[in-house]
Amino acid sequence: MSSRRRRTALLAVGSAVAAAALLTAPAVAVAAPGDPASPRYADGPEGAGDPYFPLAGNGGTDVLHYDLVLDYTPAPPEPAPLEGHLDGIATIDIVAMQDLDRFNLDLRGLTASSVVVNGLPVSFSQVDNELVISPRPKLKAGTQAQVVVTYVGTTIQPTDIEGALYGWVTTRDGAMVVSEPDGSATWFPSNDHPTDKATYSFEITVPEGLVAVANGLLTGSSTSDGKTTWTWDAPDPMAAYLATASVGDYVLNQYETPGGLPIIDAVDPSRPPSSSAALALTSDMIAFFEERFGPYPFVSYGAIVDDDSVGYALETQTRSFFSRNAREGTVAHELAHQWMGDQVSPYRWADIWLNEGWATYASWMWAEHRGGDTAQQSFDDVMAIPADDPDGFWDVIVADPSPLGLFVDPVYDRGAATLHALRLEIGDDAFFELAQTWVERFGGGTASTHDFIALAEEVSGQDLEAFFDAWVYTGEKPLSW
Ligand code: TRP
Ligand code: ZN
């Protein structure tokens, strides 16, 4: 769903008879242009319009809800290759945003065996990573439809354009499922762009003894015939890259914060005690960030700590994912993303510094709170990098780092330094009012660098054009602003 729309009940599926009657209507609009009663059915665009990932997401539809029923059998024991088997049924509630002859979903490395729209089987094709669906009857702008995609595939270890593991990453004891920026298509048919947030529910069946962990709240688990089905409900609108359904031999630890927020951690029993020590700070960290960013935005929180590694952590919504170890600074970083990145998500992937700069700055503030380096010291460390840094630290334009530069150090560290410099520029009161208004105003949706600058100017009453030019739009070390 886009922004804050509430989940609506599915419209009753039309009967086959009524649908067949509609099919006799002319398929192509022939009436005079501009006649609102004669829709011109067209193809929904094959991407959401993001210049960095032109095919990610789709145009012409708005997803309200994904209901994902998955049956997964992880890799058999040696010998390699490490592969699993995934059967899926995705029931997707969409709204047509234009009169649609065809529309797309993103699906990569998996094979759809049937697509049903409003109860009627329809024709479809798969071209590269696009699932192209021809709903019949065609969909009129503004109507809601239920799309059921049945699919199957062999799971592997997918990689992003930089070569980093992401998506449904098969492991010996399950799967690590972390999909930033466009990896959700490796495990379900999706509108894989943050501008189309939706609610989710999950029903994941795995061999008995394994635990499947998704977003939101655990609503049940039951075992029969050597298989366990885990059900989860994620009612907060969520970008596709933040969905997870990780599988492992996790131990679940469930409790509530003093404020009454349910926490569900899933930790591989072989993880080092330092992971548990850092996770034990979760309640304190939530209270600390609530003071700075406003109320925690979702129904639950928790961590997944796997014994395998994708090489990084990810702020999967309500349930951050950690590779091998959950270190305190990283635990603070991923938690802060729940406000900055998850509740307010990037409008375009070029806006990634708003995710990583805020999360990094949050971990600087947490370190200061814990008696470590102050935020000012962390800022000074960044400013100690020479203007002619041989690695080109200052060359990156953080508000446009290129598709291959989403996760480079300057996006994190110069991004965080930008926020500290802004705090010094506008003062603590305006800075934290900015942080909270940002989450209030754009929460549940997305926002851009342009939105951030406009809000900073609105809240502070200052002209910040020169400031942001120097800090986020220039590939040089800021020396004056
Ligand atoms: N967004 C993650 C974080 O900072 C990092 C991340 C996602 C990443 N994909 C990556 C880092 C690929 C390196 C490579 O919490
Ligand atoms: Zn991050």
Side-chain angles (χ1 to χ4, degrees):
M1 64 183 76
S2 36
S3 76
R4 291 173 174 277
R5 184 168 328 117
R6 295 201 45 216
R7 186 175 163 193
T8 44
L10 242 198
L11 297 175
V13 169
S15 74
V17 174
L22 275 172
L23 272 173
T24 62
V28 178
V30 288
D35 178 351
S38 46
R40 287 168 174 268
Y41 291 94
D43 296 352
E46 58 186 359
D50 194 313
Y52 281 17
F53 299 94
L55 295 179
N58 303 281
T61 57
D62 177 12
V63 177
L64 304 179
H65 184 77
Y66 295 93
D67 178 67
L68 303 178
V69 177
L70 308 177
D71 190 311
Y72 178 60
T73 309
E78 303 306 315
L82 219 43
E83 289 177 344
H85 183 85
L86 181 65
D87 277 303
I89 302 172
T91 301
I92 308 171
D93 302 336
I94 66 166
V95 174
M97 304 304 285
Q98 62 182 64
D99 295 321
L100 286 172
D101 182 25
R102 303 199 303 190
F103 66 93
N104 288 20
L105 292 166
D106 301 315
L107 189 62
R108 169 172 158 190
L110 298 164
T111 304
S113 58
S114 85
V115 179
V116 172
V117 177
N118 290 339
L120 298 173
V122 300
S123 70
F124 63 94
S125 61
Q126 288 186 261
V127 184
D128 298 326
N129 299 331
E130 298 287 326
L131 172 64
V132 184
I133 298 171
S134 303
R136 293 295 179 272
K138 301 179 185 194
L139 298 179
K140 200 165 166 22
T143 56
Q144 194 170 326
Q146 185 188 65
V147 183
V148 182
V149 180
T150 303
Y151 60 101
V152 65
T154 298
T155 64
I156 54 170
Q157 285 87 33
T159 50
D160 68 13
I161 55 166
E162 293 179 53
L165 291 171
Y166 82 152
W168 187 282
V169 180
T170 311
T171 62
R172 282 159 295 117
D173 63 348
M176 302 179 287
V177 183
V178 286
S179 301
E180 191 180 24
D182 63 342
S184 74
T186 67
W187 62 284
F188 65 98
S190 60
N191 251 355
D192 197 357
H193 192 271
T195 45
D196 191 4
K197 295 190 178 184
T199 55
Y200 286 69
S201 46
F202 304 86
E203 184 183 313
I204 311 156
T205 300
V206 293
E208 185 176 358
L210 296 182
V211 181
V213 183
N215 313 82
L217 291 166
L218 178 61
T219 50
S221 71
S222 64
T223 300
S224 69
D225 294 335
K227 290 186 164 201
T228 304
T229 298
W230 299 85
T231 56
W232 296 81
D233 188 47
D236 303 303
M238 175 163 75
Y241 78 96
L242 298 168
T244 192
S246 293
V247 178
D249 47 6
Y250 306 124
V251 173
L252 293 179
N253 180 30
Q254 307 194 48
Y255 62 99
E256 282 189 5
T257 65
L261 181 73
I263 307 289
I264 308 171
D265 291 333
V267 181
D268 188 283
S270 72
R271 293 308 80 211
S274 56
S275 282
S276 309
L279 296 183
L281 297 166
T282 297
S283 292
D284 290 348
M285 286 184 186
I286 289 172
F288 180 80
F289 291 135
E290 284 190 324
E291 277 172 33
R292 282 150 189 83
F293 301 152
Y296 178 80
F298 304 130
V299 293
S300 68
Y301 190 59
I304 303 166
V305 189
D306 205 289
D307 57 337
D308 282 293
S309 173
V310 292
Y312 56 88
L314 190 71
E315 61 270 24
T316 29
Q317 188 161 301
T318 69
R319 195 125 306 108
S320 294
F321 180 91
F322 299 86
S323 293
R324 298 223 168 101
N325 197 357
R327 294 193 176 78
E328 184 176 329
T330 313
V331 170
H333 178 110
E334 306 310 337
L335 173 59
H337 269 309
Q338 302 300 313
W339 289 261
M340 304 299 194
D342 293 7
Q343 175 67 343
V344 182
S345 304
Y347 172 64
R348 293 289 180 251
W349 283 108
D351 299 313
I352 185 72
W353 79 276
L354 289 164
N355 283 21
E356 301 309 342
W358 270 115
T360 302
Y361 193 59
S363 71
W364 290 4
M365 292 192 287
W366 175 255
E368 174 173 323
H369 174 71
R370 292 272 284 163
D373 283 358
T374 63
Q376 182 65 40
Q377 283 168 329
S378 298
F379 175 78
D380 292 343
D381 288 346
V382 174
M383 296 312 277
I385 299 171
D388 61 351
D389 174 54
D391 294 332
F393 179 88
W394 297 107
D395 300 351
V396 175
I397 296 170
V398 294
D400 191 9
S402 89
L404 285 170
L406 291 183
F407 307 117
V408 296
D409 288 351
V411 167
Y412 290 70
D413 297 338
R414 183 172 174 169
T418 299
L419 295 169
H420 188 75
L422 180 64
R423 181 177 172 184
L424 298 178
E425 186 78 14
I426 66 178
D428 277 15
D429 288 352
F431 181 76
F432 289 108
E433 189 187 330
L434 167 62
Q436 293 186 22
T437 310
W438 178 246
V439 177
E440 269 167 33
R441 191 170 298 177
F442 297 103
T446 61
S448 67
T449 301
H450 181 83
D451 293 325
F452 186 70
I453 296 170
L455 187 62
E457 293 191 328
E458 177 190 317
V459 167
S460 68
Q462 290 175 230
D463 176 353
L464 297 168
E465 194 185 330
F467 176 92
F468 282 105
D469 269 352
W471 275 98
V472 305
Y473 289 123
T474 304
E476 281 168 33
K477 182 173 179 175
L479 296 172
S480 62
W481 51 85

